[in-house]
Amino acid sequence: MNVSIRPAFSITVVGVMLAACAEITDPSVGEGPITLSADAQQAFADYQALPNPRYFAVSENGDAYYYSYCDATRCLRQAKTKVIERCETFSNGAPCKIYGSHGTIVWVARPPR
């Protein structure tokens, strides 16, 4: 006996699954409005120009930053938490979050929940 799933049902199931995944967020990634300082903007441009950029963390006020990259062909895994910790050593108490990952902005611009 052949059983087929109707296309409309399949689309609905996939849509529900994608909607559920959209709610899963990485707590280390920043979200909400942010304006980078001129220094942080330049640092992010420098980070993006590197051959193997890893993570770029920025303070929630946009002033402090820290980034990691790999200058070798094979790199050790670099933890986001270490980049965040280093950023927070320069932030005067402002929390830092991940702004960039592998050269791409990952900060979510929507208002925080």
Side-chain angles (χ1 to χ4, degrees):
M1 172 190 220
N2 290 335
V3 178
S4 64
I5 298 175
R6 295 181 182 202
F9 177 74
S10 298
I11 292 170
T12 302
V13 170
V14 170
V16 169
M17 290 170 57
L18 289 174
C21 290
E23 292 302 312
I24 298 170
T25 59
D26 180 347
S28 67
V29 173
E31 65 177 59
I34 188 166
T35 302
L36 299 183
S37 68
D39 286 345
Q41 289 177 29
Q42 182 59 55
F44 188 72
D46 294 344
Y47 153 84
Q48 286 184 303
L50 293 166
N52 294 305
R54 294 297 189 222
Y55 298 109
F56 187 97
V58 66
S59 58
E60 291 179 342
N61 63 13
D63 291 335
Y65 58 87
Y66 190 86
Y67 60 85
S68 65
Y69 67 96
C70 176
D71 58 359
T73 352
R74 297 183 85 188
C75 296
L76 297 174
R77 185 174 174 188
Q78 296 171 331
K80 291 184 261 186
T81 53
K82 288 290 181 192
V83 175
I84 291 169
E85 288 171 7
R86 294 285 177 108
C87 175
E88 289 176 346
T89 63
F90 301 108
S91 72
N92 294 321
C96 290
K97 297 282 186 168
I98 296 297
Y99 181 81
S101 176
H102 297 84
T104 303
I105 296 172
V106 294
W107 189 283
V108 181
R110 71 174 178 254
R113 290 183 219 141

